[in-house]
Amino acid sequence: MKLIIHGGFFSESRTNHEVKKAKQEALNEIVEQGYKHLAAHTALETVVYVVRLLEDCDLFNAGTGSQIQSDGKIRMSASLMDGKSLGFSGVINIEDVKNPICIARKLMDQEDKVLSGRGAQNYARENGFKYYNPEIPQRRWEYEKKLSDSIRLGTVGCVALDMNGDLAAATSTGGKGFEIPGRVSDSATAAGNYCNKFAGISCTGVGEDIVSGAVATKIVTRVTDGMLLSPATEKTLNELKPFDGFAGVIGISANGDIYHADTHPYMVWASRDENQIEVFA
Ligand code: ASP
């Protein structure tokens, strides 16, 4: 069993030691809880469970604590991919719900698997997901101060390999912050979150760059065609260099390799397997 999670990029973590420590502790606790869950659940159930915990932690830009868009509203995106069935489900730009990943999970069992905007919200309400305002005062303060100049990305993601050897990946985001309403994040696309029976990948970074590089899909395809996870990831991230693409990646392959990499410092992450727990330093 293997588990890796990320909490996106957070430039402030480098200089603000309190924030860094809080994120290290949160990721440490969540990866541990997730690993316990994985002992009794499938990879698919576990990535949903873990991403829900990350969405509920307001240190990260997903669910509660999501960033605010240019018109003052929060719109969130999340997706889920099951490596076994190849089902991909997600919500794009959903408002006023607590856990976008849980709605993505519900959609996995539907024929229509990715819903956006009002349609996603109506579906959520019809399926018992209550009104919830994910805004926290810190994000409103940042919005009002227009701190859009510094990169403040804190998307979350999880990849799990369960004891049956099945893989799943999930990713959830509040977006880039200050974006034009209607902008579509990579997090609920196959570029930002992809998984098959060979490998699972969750990305963070600038969504436009991740889509241009088809990052998650490319890495998984390379592993499927025989490359190991780490060179497959490095090759794909190298291909972002000509346009200075900004991306971070976590992944697990079916042979048990766990890998994480980023094009710019630095992504916050944690991993857990039978031997050890590792947290970004
Ligand atoms: N990838 C996300 C987006 O562009 C942002 C992030 O990873 O923090 O919407």
PDB file of all heavy atoms in Angstrom, residues 55-56 58 62-68 72-76 94-100 121 125 129-137 139-140:
ATOM      1  N   GLU A  55      -9.676  19.240   1.851  1.00  0.00           N
ATOM      2  CA  GLU A  55     -10.639  20.324   1.571  1.00  0.00           C
ATOM      3  C   GLU A  55     -11.116  20.980   2.873  1.00  0.00           C
ATOM      4  O   GLU A  55     -11.391  22.180   2.914  1.00  0.00           O
ATOM      5  CB  GLU A  55     -11.856  19.768   0.815  1.00  0.00           C
ATOM      6  CG  GLU A  55     -11.585  19.436  -0.635  1.00  0.00           C
ATOM      7  CD  GLU A  55     -12.783  18.812  -1.360  1.00  0.00           C
ATOM      8  OE1 GLU A  55     -13.704  18.299  -0.690  1.00  0.00           O
ATOM      9  OE2 GLU A  55     -12.795  18.819  -2.592  1.00  0.00           O
ATOM     10  N   ASP A  56     -11.226  20.169   3.924  1.00  0.00           N
ATOM     11  CA  ASP A  56     -11.722  20.708   5.205  1.00  0.00           C
ATOM     12  C   ASP A  56     -10.653  21.469   5.982  1.00  0.00           C
ATOM     13  O   ASP A  56     -10.967  22.135   6.971  1.00  0.00           O
ATOM     14  CB  ASP A  56     -12.272  19.570   6.078  1.00  0.00           C
ATOM     15  CG  ASP A  56     -13.591  19.032   5.540  1.00  0.00           C
ATOM     16  OD1 ASP A  56     -14.218  19.720   4.705  1.00  0.00           O
ATOM     17  OD2 ASP A  56     -13.996  17.922   5.939  1.00  0.00           O
ATOM     18  N   ASP A  58      -8.347  24.494   6.324  1.00  0.00           N
ATOM     19  CA  ASP A  58      -8.368  25.807   5.661  1.00  0.00           C
ATOM     20  C   ASP A  58      -6.985  26.370   5.336  1.00  0.00           C
ATOM     21  O   ASP A  58      -6.851  27.483   4.840  1.00  0.00           O
ATOM     22  CB  ASP A  58      -9.229  26.806   6.441  1.00  0.00           C
ATOM     23  CG  ASP A  58      -8.627  27.171   7.777  1.00  0.00           C
ATOM     24  OD1 ASP A  58      -7.466  26.828   8.033  1.00  0.00           O
ATOM     25  OD2 ASP A  58      -9.340  27.830   8.576  1.00  0.00           O
ATOM     26  N   ALA A  62      -8.626  24.667  -1.336  1.00  0.00           N
ATOM     27  CA  ALA A  62      -9.612  23.717  -1.871  1.00  0.00           C
ATOM     28  C   ALA A  62     -10.678  23.596  -0.802  1.00  0.00           C
ATOM     29  O   ALA A  62     -10.352  23.611   0.389  1.00  0.00           O
ATOM     30  CB  ALA A  62      -8.969  22.356  -2.107  1.00  0.00           C
ATOM     31  N   GLY A  63     -11.935  23.503  -1.190  1.00  0.00           N
ATOM     32  CA  GLY A  63     -13.000  23.447  -0.183  1.00  0.00           C
ATOM     33  C   GLY A  63     -12.906  24.680   0.714  1.00  0.00           C
ATOM     34  O   GLY A  63     -12.712  25.810   0.235  1.00  0.00           O
ATOM     35  N   THR A  64     -13.002  24.458   2.029  1.00  0.00           N
ATOM     36  CA  THR A  64     -12.917  25.570   2.973  1.00  0.00           C
ATOM     37  C   THR A  64     -11.531  26.214   2.869  1.00  0.00           C
ATOM     38  O   THR A  64     -10.520  25.514   2.966  1.00  0.00           O
ATOM     39  CB  THR A  64     -13.128  25.046   4.416  1.00  0.00           C
ATOM     40  OG1 THR A  64     -14.385  24.366   4.455  1.00  0.00           O
ATOM     41  CG2 THR A  64     -13.115  26.188   5.416  1.00  0.00           C
ATOM     42  N   GLY A  65     -11.497  27.536   2.637  1.00  0.00           N
ATOM     43  CA  GLY A  65     -10.207  28.215   2.475  1.00  0.00           C
ATOM     44  C   GLY A  65      -9.835  28.433   1.014  1.00  0.00           C
ATOM     45  O   GLY A  65      -8.737  28.884   0.711  1.00  0.00           O
ATOM     46  N   SER A  66     -10.773  28.123   0.103  1.00  0.00           N
ATOM     47  CA  SER A  66     -10.506  28.344  -1.324  1.00  0.00           C
ATOM     48  C   SER A  66     -10.294  29.820  -1.623  1.00  0.00           C
ATOM     49  O   SER A  66     -10.835  30.696  -0.936  1.00  0.00           O
ATOM     50  CB  SER A  66     -11.696  27.858  -2.158  1.00  0.00           C
ATOM     51  OG  SER A  66     -11.724  26.460  -2.224  1.00  0.00           O
ATOM     52  N   GLN A  67      -9.543  30.079  -2.677  1.00  0.00           N
ATOM     53  CA  GLN A  67      -9.286  31.454  -3.078  1.00  0.00           C
ATOM     54  C   GLN A  67     -10.509  32.069  -3.757  1.00  0.00           C
ATOM     55  O   GLN A  67     -11.358  31.369  -4.285  1.00  0.00           O
ATOM     56  CB  GLN A  67      -8.089  31.490  -4.020  1.00  0.00           C
ATOM     57  CG  GLN A  67      -6.836  31.096  -3.282  1.00  0.00           C
ATOM     58  CD  GLN A  67      -5.605  31.189  -4.142  1.00  0.00           C
ATOM     59  OE1 GLN A  67      -4.676  31.893  -3.801  1.00  0.00           O
ATOM     60  NE2 GLN A  67      -5.593  30.480  -5.234  1.00  0.00           N
ATOM     61  N   ILE A  68     -10.525  33.409  -3.742  1.00  0.00           N
ATOM     62  CA  ILE A  68     -11.673  34.146  -4.265  1.00  0.00           C
ATOM     63  C   ILE A  68     -11.361  34.639  -5.685  1.00  0.00           C
ATOM     64  O   ILE A  68     -10.254  35.106  -5.952  1.00  0.00           O
ATOM     65  CB  ILE A  68     -11.993  35.318  -3.302  1.00  0.00           C
ATOM     66  CG1 ILE A  68     -12.346  34.729  -1.917  1.00  0.00           C
ATOM     67  CG2 ILE A  68     -13.115  36.189  -3.846  1.00  0.00           C
ATOM     68  CD1 ILE A  68     -12.550  35.769  -0.832  1.00  0.00           C
ATOM     69  N   GLY A  72     -15.255  38.316  -6.688  1.00  0.00           N
ATOM     70  CA  GLY A  72     -15.547  38.181  -5.262  1.00  0.00           C
ATOM     71  C   GLY A  72     -16.178  36.854  -4.878  1.00  0.00           C
ATOM     72  O   GLY A  72     -16.527  36.657  -3.716  1.00  0.00           O
ATOM     73  N   LYS A  73     -16.328  35.948  -5.847  1.00  0.00           N
ATOM     74  CA  LYS A  73     -16.956  34.649  -5.529  1.00  0.00           C
ATOM     75  C   LYS A  73     -15.932  33.518  -5.535  1.00  0.00           C
ATOM     76  O   LYS A  73     -14.913  33.601  -6.216  1.00  0.00           O
ATOM     77  CB  LYS A  73     -18.026  34.317  -6.576  1.00  0.00           C
ATOM     78  CG  LYS A  73     -19.201  35.253  -6.521  1.00  0.00           C
ATOM     79  CD  LYS A  73     -20.420  34.615  -7.165  1.00  0.00           C
ATOM     80  CE  LYS A  73     -21.623  35.503  -6.949  1.00  0.00           C
ATOM     81  NZ  LYS A  73     -22.270  35.883  -8.204  1.00  0.00           N
ATOM     82  N   ILE A  74     -16.263  32.477  -4.796  1.00  0.00           N
ATOM     83  CA  ILE A  74     -15.424  31.271  -4.798  1.00  0.00           C
ATOM     84  C   ILE A  74     -16.069  30.247  -5.722  1.00  0.00           C
ATOM     85  O   ILE A  74     -17.269  29.983  -5.621  1.00  0.00           O
ATOM     86  CB  ILE A  74     -15.312  30.690  -3.373  1.00  0.00           C
ATOM     87  CG1 ILE A  74     -14.456  31.619  -2.500  1.00  0.00           C
ATOM     88  CG2 ILE A  74     -14.720  29.280  -3.398  1.00  0.00           C
ATOM     89  CD1 ILE A  74     -14.356  31.193  -1.052  1.00  0.00           C
ATOM     90  N   ARG A  75     -15.272  29.722  -6.630  1.00  0.00           N
ATOM     91  CA  ARG A  75     -15.746  28.612  -7.485  1.00  0.00           C
ATOM     92  C   ARG A  75     -14.690  27.522  -7.422  1.00  0.00           C
ATOM     93  O   ARG A  75     -13.500  27.799  -7.590  1.00  0.00           O
ATOM     94  CB  ARG A  75     -15.932  29.078  -8.935  1.00  0.00           C
ATOM     95  CG  ARG A  75     -17.031  30.115  -9.070  1.00  0.00           C
ATOM     96  CD  ARG A  75     -17.216  30.580 -10.501  1.00  0.00           C
ATOM     97  NE  ARG A  75     -18.200  31.659 -10.544  1.00  0.00           N
ATOM     98  CZ  ARG A  75     -17.918  32.937 -10.317  1.00  0.00           C
ATOM     99  NH1 ARG A  75     -16.687  33.324 -10.019  1.00  0.00           N
ATOM    100  NH2 ARG A  75     -18.868  33.855 -10.356  1.00  0.00           N
ATOM    101  N   MET A  76     -15.151  26.307  -7.171  1.00  0.00           N
ATOM    102  CA  MET A  76     -14.206  25.213  -6.934  1.00  0.00           C
ATOM    103  C   MET A  76     -14.328  24.115  -7.995  1.00  0.00           C
ATOM    104  O   MET A  76     -15.390  23.938  -8.585  1.00  0.00           O
ATOM    105  CB  MET A  76     -14.492  24.607  -5.547  1.00  0.00           C
ATOM    106  CG  MET A  76     -14.329  25.612  -4.418  1.00  0.00           C
ATOM    107  SD  MET A  76     -15.107  25.076  -2.871  1.00  0.00           S
ATOM    108  CE  MET A  76     -16.840  25.253  -3.230  1.00  0.00           C
ATOM    109  N   ILE A  94     -17.897  24.895  -9.246  1.00  0.00           N
ATOM    110  CA  ILE A  94     -19.087  24.751  -8.399  1.00  0.00           C
ATOM    111  C   ILE A  94     -19.004  25.755  -7.244  1.00  0.00           C
ATOM    112  O   ILE A  94     -17.912  26.064  -6.760  1.00  0.00           O
ATOM    113  CB  ILE A  94     -19.218  23.289  -7.902  1.00  0.00           C
ATOM    114  CG1 ILE A  94     -20.600  23.050  -7.299  1.00  0.00           C
ATOM    115  CG2 ILE A  94     -18.126  22.914  -6.901  1.00  0.00           C
ATOM    116  CD1 ILE A  94     -20.930  21.577  -7.081  1.00  0.00           C
ATOM    117  N   GLU A  95     -20.153  26.278  -6.817  1.00  0.00           N
ATOM    118  CA  GLU A  95     -20.207  27.258  -5.719  1.00  0.00           C
ATOM    119  C   GLU A  95     -20.976  26.703  -4.527  1.00  0.00           C
ATOM    120  O   GLU A  95     -21.862  25.860  -4.696  1.00  0.00           O
ATOM    121  CB  GLU A  95     -20.933  28.536  -6.180  1.00  0.00           C
ATOM    122  CG  GLU A  95     -20.185  29.315  -7.232  1.00  0.00           C
ATOM    123  CD  GLU A  95     -20.988  30.530  -7.709  1.00  0.00           C
ATOM    124  OE1 GLU A  95     -21.600  31.224  -6.882  1.00  0.00           O
ATOM    125  OE2 GLU A  95     -21.011  30.743  -8.931  1.00  0.00           O
ATOM    126  N   ASP A  96     -20.671  27.249  -3.361  1.00  0.00           N
ATOM    127  CA  ASP A  96     -21.486  27.042  -2.154  1.00  0.00           C
ATOM    128  C   ASP A  96     -21.697  25.586  -1.746  1.00  0.00           C
ATOM    129  O   ASP A  96     -22.806  25.195  -1.379  1.00  0.00           O
ATOM    130  CB  ASP A  96     -22.860  27.720  -2.330  1.00  0.00           C
ATOM    131  CG  ASP A  96     -22.713  29.213  -2.536  1.00  0.00           C
ATOM    132  OD1 ASP A  96     -21.780  29.800  -1.960  1.00  0.00           O
ATOM    133  OD2 ASP A  96     -23.530  29.803  -3.277  1.00  0.00           O
ATOM    134  N   VAL A  97     -20.639  24.787  -1.845  1.00  0.00           N
ATOM    135  CA  VAL A  97     -20.700  23.427  -1.299  1.00  0.00           C
ATOM    136  C   VAL A  97     -19.452  23.212  -0.444  1.00  0.00           C
ATOM    137  O   VAL A  97     -18.456  23.910  -0.601  1.00  0.00           O
ATOM    138  CB  VAL A  97     -20.773  22.329  -2.390  1.00  0.00           C
ATOM    139  CG1 VAL A  97     -22.058  22.426  -3.184  1.00  0.00           C
ATOM    140  CG2 VAL A  97     -19.555  22.379  -3.299  1.00  0.00           C
ATOM    141  N   LYS A  98     -19.534  22.243   0.456  1.00  0.00           N
ATOM    142  CA  LYS A  98     -18.400  22.022   1.363  1.00  0.00           C
ATOM    143  C   LYS A  98     -17.298  21.163   0.729  1.00  0.00           C
ATOM    144  O   LYS A  98     -16.127  21.489   0.832  1.00  0.00           O
ATOM    145  CB  LYS A  98     -18.917  21.358   2.646  1.00  0.00           C
ATOM    146  CG  LYS A  98     -17.865  21.277   3.719  1.00  0.00           C
ATOM    147  CD  LYS A  98     -18.477  20.962   5.074  1.00  0.00           C
ATOM    148  CE  LYS A  98     -17.415  21.088   6.154  1.00  0.00           C
ATOM    149  NZ  LYS A  98     -17.351  19.964   7.035  1.00  0.00           N
ATOM    150  N   ASN A  99     -17.696  20.063   0.099  1.00  0.00           N
ATOM    151  CA  ASN A  99     -16.700  19.117  -0.405  1.00  0.00           C
ATOM    152  C   ASN A  99     -16.931  18.765  -1.876  1.00  0.00           C
ATOM    153  O   ASN A  99     -17.582  17.754  -2.186  1.00  0.00           O
ATOM    154  CB  ASN A  99     -16.713  17.841   0.438  1.00  0.00           C
ATOM    155  CG  ASN A  99     -16.235  18.093   1.850  1.00  0.00           C
ATOM    156  OD1 ASN A  99     -17.002  18.035   2.802  1.00  0.00           O
ATOM    157  ND2 ASN A  99     -14.959  18.397   2.011  1.00  0.00           N
ATOM    158  N   PRO A 100     -16.352  19.541  -2.783  1.00  0.00           N
ATOM    159  CA  PRO A 100     -16.500  19.241  -4.218  1.00  0.00           C
ATOM    160  C   PRO A 100     -16.116  17.808  -4.570  1.00  0.00           C
ATOM    161  O   PRO A 100     -16.734  17.190  -5.436  1.00  0.00           O
ATOM    162  CB  PRO A 100     -15.548  20.246  -4.881  1.00  0.00           C
ATOM    163  CG  PRO A 100     -15.427  21.364  -3.892  1.00  0.00           C
ATOM    164  CD  PRO A 100     -15.583  20.778  -2.528  1.00  0.00           C
ATOM    165  N   GLN A 121     -24.045  22.568  -9.355  1.00  0.00           N
ATOM    166  CA  GLN A 121     -24.644  22.983  -8.083  1.00  0.00           C
ATOM    167  C   GLN A 121     -26.054  22.400  -7.908  1.00  0.00           C
ATOM    168  O   GLN A 121     -26.400  21.920  -6.833  1.00  0.00           O
ATOM    169  CB  GLN A 121     -24.725  24.502  -8.078  1.00  0.00           C
ATOM    170  CG  GLN A 121     -24.631  25.090  -6.713  1.00  0.00           C
ATOM    171  CD  GLN A 121     -24.397  26.576  -6.860  1.00  0.00           C
ATOM    172  OE1 GLN A 121     -23.578  26.996  -7.677  1.00  0.00           O
ATOM    173  NE2 GLN A 121     -25.128  27.372  -6.125  1.00  0.00           N
ATOM    174  N   ARG A 125     -27.331  19.910  -4.906  1.00  0.00           N
ATOM    175  CA  ARG A 125     -28.497  20.137  -4.029  1.00  0.00           C
ATOM    176  C   ARG A 125     -29.489  18.980  -4.121  1.00  0.00           C
ATOM    177  O   ARG A 125     -30.008  18.515  -3.119  1.00  0.00           O
ATOM    178  CB  ARG A 125     -29.216  21.441  -4.401  1.00  0.00           C
ATOM    179  CG  ARG A 125     -28.408  22.680  -4.183  1.00  0.00           C
ATOM    180  CD  ARG A 125     -28.238  23.062  -2.703  1.00  0.00           C
ATOM    181  NE  ARG A 125     -27.418  24.259  -2.634  1.00  0.00           N
ATOM    182  CZ  ARG A 125     -26.092  24.273  -2.448  1.00  0.00           C
ATOM    183  NH1 ARG A 125     -25.434  23.157  -2.230  1.00  0.00           N
ATOM    184  NH2 ARG A 125     -25.420  25.400  -2.461  1.00  0.00           N
ATOM    185  N   PHE A 129     -26.430  17.650  -0.943  1.00  0.00           N
ATOM    186  CA  PHE A 129     -25.276  18.443  -0.497  1.00  0.00           C
ATOM    187  C   PHE A 129     -25.770  19.855  -0.165  1.00  0.00           C
ATOM    188  O   PHE A 129     -26.208  20.595  -1.047  1.00  0.00           O
ATOM    189  CB  PHE A 129     -24.186  18.490  -1.577  1.00  0.00           C
ATOM    190  CG  PHE A 129     -23.566  17.143  -1.856  1.00  0.00           C
ATOM    191  CD1 PHE A 129     -24.085  16.314  -2.845  1.00  0.00           C
ATOM    192  CD2 PHE A 129     -22.487  16.696  -1.117  1.00  0.00           C
ATOM    193  CE1 PHE A 129     -23.525  15.067  -3.098  1.00  0.00           C
ATOM    194  CE2 PHE A 129     -21.911  15.456  -1.360  1.00  0.00           C
ATOM    195  CZ  PHE A 129     -22.439  14.639  -2.356  1.00  0.00           C
ATOM    196  N   LYS A 130     -25.685  20.200   1.111  1.00  0.00           N
ATOM    197  CA  LYS A 130     -26.298  21.444   1.590  1.00  0.00           C
ATOM    198  C   LYS A 130     -25.468  22.677   1.231  1.00  0.00           C
ATOM    199  O   LYS A 130     -24.280  22.587   0.945  1.00  0.00           O
ATOM    200  CB  LYS A 130     -26.425  21.377   3.112  1.00  0.00           C
ATOM    201  CG  LYS A 130     -27.289  20.232   3.565  1.00  0.00           C
ATOM    202  CD  LYS A 130     -28.012  20.563   4.870  1.00  0.00           C
ATOM    203  CE  LYS A 130     -29.080  19.540   5.125  1.00  0.00           C
ATOM    204  NZ  LYS A 130     -28.523  18.181   5.328  1.00  0.00           N
ATOM    205  N   TYR A 131     -26.144  23.841   1.328  1.00  0.00           N
ATOM    206  CA  TYR A 131     -25.453  25.117   1.138  1.00  0.00           C
ATOM    207  C   TYR A 131     -24.319  25.226   2.147  1.00  0.00           C
ATOM    208  O   TYR A 131     -24.491  24.937   3.335  1.00  0.00           O
ATOM    209  CB  TYR A 131     -26.436  26.285   1.342  1.00  0.00           C
ATOM    210  CG  TYR A 131     -25.724  27.626   1.348  1.00  0.00           C
ATOM    211  CD1 TYR A 131     -25.496  28.322   0.154  1.00  0.00           C
ATOM    212  CD2 TYR A 131     -25.241  28.176   2.544  1.00  0.00           C
ATOM    213  CE1 TYR A 131     -24.804  29.527   0.155  1.00  0.00           C
ATOM    214  CE2 TYR A 131     -24.549  29.384   2.547  1.00  0.00           C
ATOM    215  CZ  TYR A 131     -24.334  30.041   1.352  1.00  0.00           C
ATOM    216  OH  TYR A 131     -23.647  31.229   1.354  1.00  0.00           O
ATOM    217  N   TYR A 132     -23.164  25.673   1.683  1.00  0.00           N
ATOM    218  CA  TYR A 132     -22.029  25.877   2.582  1.00  0.00           C
ATOM    219  C   TYR A 132     -21.162  26.971   1.980  1.00  0.00           C
ATOM    220  O   TYR A 132     -20.854  26.950   0.781  1.00  0.00           O
ATOM    221  CB  TYR A 132     -21.220  24.581   2.708  1.00  0.00           C
ATOM    222  CG  TYR A 132     -19.990  24.725   3.577  1.00  0.00           C
ATOM    223  CD1 TYR A 132     -20.054  24.649   4.964  1.00  0.00           C
ATOM    224  CD2 TYR A 132     -18.726  24.950   2.991  1.00  0.00           C
ATOM    225  CE1 TYR A 132     -18.918  24.788   5.754  1.00  0.00           C
ATOM    226  CE2 TYR A 132     -17.596  25.084   3.782  1.00  0.00           C
ATOM    227  CZ  TYR A 132     -17.692  24.995   5.154  1.00  0.00           C
ATOM    228  OH  TYR A 132     -16.571  25.132   5.928  1.00  0.00           O
ATOM    229  N   ASN A 133     -20.770  27.930   2.804  1.00  0.00           N
ATOM    230  CA  ASN A 133     -19.906  29.001   2.312  1.00  0.00           C
ATOM    231  C   ASN A 133     -18.453  28.674   2.665  1.00  0.00           C
ATOM    232  O   ASN A 133     -18.095  28.696   3.834  1.00  0.00           O
ATOM    233  CB  ASN A 133     -20.341  30.325   2.958  1.00  0.00           C
ATOM    234  CG  ASN A 133     -19.460  31.478   2.501  1.00  0.00           C
ATOM    235  OD1 ASN A 133     -18.563  31.284   1.667  1.00  0.00           O
ATOM    236  ND2 ASN A 133     -19.707  32.656   3.037  1.00  0.00           N
ATOM    237  N   PRO A 134     -17.614  28.370   1.673  1.00  0.00           N
ATOM    238  CA  PRO A 134     -16.240  27.932   1.967  1.00  0.00           C
ATOM    239  C   PRO A 134     -15.256  29.078   2.256  1.00  0.00           C
ATOM    240  O   PRO A 134     -14.065  28.842   2.446  1.00  0.00           O
ATOM    241  CB  PRO A 134     -15.828  27.196   0.691  1.00  0.00           C
ATOM    242  CG  PRO A 134     -16.663  27.788  -0.383  1.00  0.00           C
ATOM    243  CD  PRO A 134     -17.915  28.328   0.230  1.00  0.00           C
ATOM    244  N   GLU A 135     -15.792  30.304   2.324  1.00  0.00           N
ATOM    245  CA  GLU A 135     -14.879  31.456   2.508  1.00  0.00           C
ATOM    246  C   GLU A 135     -14.371  31.558   3.942  1.00  0.00           C
ATOM    247  O   GLU A 135     -15.119  31.334   4.889  1.00  0.00           O
ATOM    248  CB  GLU A 135     -15.633  32.740   2.154  1.00  0.00           C
ATOM    249  CG  GLU A 135     -14.738  33.966   2.223  1.00  0.00           C
ATOM    250  CD  GLU A 135     -15.482  35.240   1.849  1.00  0.00           C
ATOM    251  OE1 GLU A 135     -16.190  35.242   0.822  1.00  0.00           O
ATOM    252  OE2 GLU A 135     -15.346  36.226   2.595  1.00  0.00           O
ATOM    253  N   ILE A 136     -13.090  31.890   4.088  1.00  0.00           N
ATOM    254  CA  ILE A 136     -12.544  32.193   5.422  1.00  0.00           C
ATOM    255  C   ILE A 136     -12.025  33.634   5.397  1.00  0.00           C
ATOM    256  O   ILE A 136     -11.672  34.163   4.328  1.00  0.00           O
ATOM    257  CB  ILE A 136     -11.425  31.208   5.852  1.00  0.00           C
ATOM    258  CG1 ILE A 136     -10.247  31.241   4.870  1.00  0.00           C
ATOM    259  CG2 ILE A 136     -11.962  29.780   5.991  1.00  0.00           C
ATOM    260  CD1 ILE A 136      -8.990  30.553   5.379  1.00  0.00           C
ATOM    261  N   PRO A 137     -11.990  34.322   6.558  1.00  0.00           N
ATOM    262  CA  PRO A 137     -11.618  35.733   6.590  1.00  0.00           C
ATOM    263  C   PRO A 137     -10.257  36.031   5.945  1.00  0.00           C
ATOM    264  O   PRO A 137     -10.091  37.048   5.262  1.00  0.00           O
ATOM    265  CB  PRO A 137     -11.585  36.055   8.090  1.00  0.00           C
ATOM    266  CG  PRO A 137     -12.460  35.029   8.724  1.00  0.00           C
ATOM    267  CD  PRO A 137     -12.374  33.808   7.872  1.00  0.00           C
ATOM    268  N   ARG A 139      -8.854  34.714   3.333  1.00  0.00           N
ATOM    269  CA  ARG A 139      -8.960  34.806   1.864  1.00  0.00           C
ATOM    270  C   ARG A 139      -9.633  36.116   1.450  1.00  0.00           C
ATOM    271  O   ARG A 139      -9.276  36.713   0.451  1.00  0.00           O
ATOM    272  CB  ARG A 139      -9.731  33.624   1.287  1.00  0.00           C
ATOM    273  CG  ARG A 139      -9.123  32.288   1.531  1.00  0.00           C
ATOM    274  CD  ARG A 139      -7.837  32.065   0.726  1.00  0.00           C
ATOM    275  NE  ARG A 139      -7.233  30.836   1.173  1.00  0.00           N
ATOM    276  CZ  ARG A 139      -6.266  30.763   2.099  1.00  0.00           C
ATOM    277  NH1 ARG A 139      -5.743  31.835   2.615  1.00  0.00           N
ATOM    278  NH2 ARG A 139      -5.798  29.583   2.483  1.00  0.00           N
ATOM    279  N   ARG A 140     -10.617  36.561   2.254  1.00  0.00           N
ATOM    280  CA  ARG A 140     -11.279  37.832   1.943  1.00  0.00           C
ATOM    281  C   ARG A 140     -10.278  38.973   2.099  1.00  0.00           C
ATOM    282  O   ARG A 140     -10.207  39.884   1.298  1.00  0.00           O
ATOM    283  CB  ARG A 140     -12.503  38.004   2.881  1.00  0.00           C
ATOM    284  CG  ARG A 140     -13.316  39.271   2.712  1.00  0.00           C
ATOM    285  CD  ARG A 140     -13.868  39.502   1.328  1.00  0.00           C
ATOM    286  NE  ARG A 140     -14.728  38.448   0.817  1.00  0.00           N
ATOM    287  CZ  ARG A 140     -15.298  38.483  -0.396  1.00  0.00           C
ATOM    288  NH1 ARG A 140     -15.124  39.515  -1.199  1.00  0.00           N
ATOM    289  NH2 ARG A 140     -16.045  37.480  -0.802  1.00  0.00           N
TER     290      ARG A 140
END
